[in-house]
């Protein structure tokens, strides 16, 4: 079961990252071109939010059914083990929290510029954090 859920987590990551990158690029373009914030822009951000939260839930399942379990915490000298057991989950949760804050903040804003700016900052920071802790050696 672990292998199936792990492959789902790895496969879904491509979709989640793609949607997140599209949302960040869309918000930067909207901010720089001073365009009006539309329903399409809201849906792009919402789909990215939903995909990244789904990825988080799948990640929790992977983490808790992992054959390593919590025994990895005793081996923090091993960089690869530390990345997958501590750094990857912790930093990605922080990134997802930032993305969620950005989504919540945009609902209270009225101007298009402030909505695009909020998405650019919070979704962008979340994306950078997530990309910084992906175990790239396991992806390729």
């Amino acid at each position: 079961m672990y292998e199936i859920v792990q492959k789902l987590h790895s496969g879904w990551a491509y979709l989640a990252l793609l949607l997140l990158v599209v949302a960040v690029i869309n918000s930067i373009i909207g901010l720089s071109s001073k365009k009006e914030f539309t329903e399409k822009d809201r849906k792009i951000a919402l789909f990215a939010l939903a995909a990244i939260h789904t990825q988080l839930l799948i990640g929790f399942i992977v983490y808790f059914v992992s054959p390593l379990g919590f025994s990895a915490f005793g081996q923090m000298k091993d960089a690869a083990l530390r990345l997958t057991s501590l750094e990857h989950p912790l930093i990605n949760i922080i990134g997802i929290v930032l993305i969620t804050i950005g989504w919540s903040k945009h609902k209270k804003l009225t101007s298009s510029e402030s909505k695009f700016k909020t998405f650019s900052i919070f979704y962008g920071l979340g994306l950078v954090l997530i990309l910084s802790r992906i175990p790239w050696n396991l992806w390729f």
Side-chain angles (χ1 to χ4, degrees):
M1 177 174 151
Y2 170 73
E3 291 81 17
I4 294 169
V5 178
Q6 185 182 29
K7 290 202 183 309
L8 177 63
H9 182 63
S10 296
W12 188 262
Y14 290 106
L15 176 64
L17 282 174
L18 175 67
L19 290 171
L20 188 56
V21 167
V22 168
V24 170
I25 291 171
N26 182 62
S27 64
I28 291 170
I29 290 171
L31 181 63
S32 63
S33 66
K34 299 186 188 300
K35 72 176 202 161
E36 195 65 30
F37 190 84
T38 64
E39 184 65 17
K40 177 192 74 117
D41 300 313
R42 188 188 73 79
K43 285 182 180 177
I44 289 172
L46 178 61
F47 290 152
L49 178 77
I52 210 72
H53 277 106
T54 302
Q55 179 69 357
L56 175 65
L57 291 175
I58 298 168
F60 280 149
I61 294 168
V62 169
Y63 192 75
F64 289 112
V65 300
S66 169
L68 293 174
F70 293 105
S71 65
F73 282 109
Q75 303 175 13
M76 289 295 122
K77 292 179 184 171
D78 182 356
L81 195 55
R82 185 178 60 241
L83 174 64
T84 56
S85 65
L86 178 67
E87 294 172 5
H88 175 75
L90 181 63
I91 298 300
N92 287 349
I93 289 170
I94 293 169
I96 293 168
V97 165
L98 286 171
I99 292 165
T100 306
I101 290 170
W103 175 260
S104 296
K105 285 181 72 78
H106 107 276
K107 293 190 275 186
K108 298 173 187 159
L109 302 172
T110 55
S111 74
S112 292
E113 180 183 2
S114 60
K115 288 184 182 213
F116 282 126
K117 186 175 184 180
T118 298
F119 282 132
S120 295
I121 292 169
F122 285 95
Y123 276 49
L125 286 173
L127 177 62
V128 168
L129 287 176
I130 290 168
L131 289 175
S132 75
R133 291 295 148 222
I134 290 177
W136 295 106
N137 60 331
L138 299 176
W139 265 33
F140 301 110

